[in-house]
Amino acid sequence: MTERQKDVLNAVLRLLVEEGDKLTMTAVARRASCSKETLYKWFGDRDGLLTATVQWQASKVRVASVDRARLDMVSLTASLERFASDWLSVISSETSIALNRVAVGHAGSDKRDLGAIVLENGRLAMGRRLKPVLMAGRDAGLLAFDDAEEAFRTFFGLVARDVQIRLLLGDRLEMTDAEIGRDAAQATRQFLALYGAKTPAI
């Protein structure tokens, strides 16, 4: 993705905050100072543009690559904490809240299903990216679980707690970087208490 395309997607996020479901290709072209023809060339249609926007937002949650041969509890913990911190930063951002409110409004309606786009490229994509790290931890004898999806859902719940639903419902919850860091570290400790192997491999 080029820097110019990223500028367009950031313009989409700003418009979602300001206008919600009224987003149009014309409005995006005007805000991003480009032609509608360019938007259609890059993203296809409005759904393609929204999909790219969700993917761009989700890409801000980093998953650290792990060296399976040298993975230890310190590096595994650091990887999980960074993922949790990025995730909390993204879901508590003004743009993510606006995007998810629009997606919830589309769910179950006859509109093009932005809810499905957000689910596939948000929550489900996060699982596909983090589960290999969890499985690497299991293979290294650091974690113990039977089902990677169940382990991921537990981690998801420990990280997100009720934060996202409170923000979606209008709670003026303010999360500083320091608070996000503490919450991410706490969620990781809780997860490791539940799934940490009792006898790590030597």
Side-chain angles (χ1 to χ4, degrees):
M1 183 183 300
T2 67
E3 290 302 315
R4 188 70 184 95
Q5 289 170 329
K6 291 177 184 178
D7 289 342
V8 170
L9 299 182
N10 283 326
V12 174
L13 290 170
R14 290 193 298 272
L15 283 168
L16 283 170
V17 171
E18 297 169 11
E19 301 182 10
D21 202 18
K22 299 176 183 178
L23 182 80
T24 66
M25 297 294 268
T26 299
V28 173
R30 186 181 302 114
R31 177 63 64 91
S33 299
C34 67
S35 67
K36 286 199 295 183
E37 290 74 18
T38 297
L39 293 180
Y40 286 116
K41 177 182 177 181
W42 283 347
F43 305 107
D45 55 10
R46 183 175 183 270
D47 281 353
L49 178 62
L50 289 171
T51 298
T53 302
V54 174
Q55 291 172 340
W56 167 235
Q57 187 75 342
S59 72
K60 299 171 185 175
V61 182
R62 299 163 294 174
V63 181
S65 59
V66 294
D67 183 348
R68 285 177 170 267
R70 304 177 65 179
L71 184 64
D72 58 17
M73 187 57 77
V74 172
S75 58
L76 177 62
T77 299
S79 179
L80 293 176
E81 283 188 10
R82 187 169 83 169
F83 181 91
S85 179
D86 284 355
W87 198 345
L88 280 170
S89 295
V90 167
I91 67 173
S92 62
S93 69
E94 186 180 39
T95 51
S96 183
I97 295 166
L99 182 62
N100 279 283
R101 281 176 176 160
V102 174
V104 170
H106 279 207
S109 73
D110 58 358
K111 298 179 181 180
R112 298 290 294 181
D113 196 357
L114 179 60
I117 293 173
V118 170
L119 181 61
E120 175 62 28
N121 295 282
R123 157 62 180 87
L124 297 181
M126 293 297 100
R128 289 192 295 270
R129 290 166 60 192
L130 188 65
K131 280 188 280 187
V133 175
L134 300 180
M135 290 186 287
R138 182 180 62 183
D139 293 345
L142 303 171
L143 300 175
F145 56 83
D146 295 323
D147 188 322
E149 173 64 17
E150 180 181 337
F152 173 78
R153 289 178 65 188
T154 300
F155 186 60
F156 177 95
L158 291 170
V159 174
R161 296 166 295 136
D162 65 345
V163 169
Q164 190 170 39
I165 188 65
R166 287 172 63 186
L167 291 169
L168 289 174
L169 292 174
D171 191 341
R172 297 188 179 278
L173 180 65
E174 294 185 5
M175 299 184 65
T176 65
D177 290 344
E179 289 170 333
I180 286 173
R182 286 195 297 270
D183 287 350
Q186 179 179 352
T188 300
R189 286 195 301 271
Q190 292 171 336
F191 177 78
L192 292 175
L194 290 170
Y195 287 98
K198 302 304 179 183
T199 54
I202 299 176

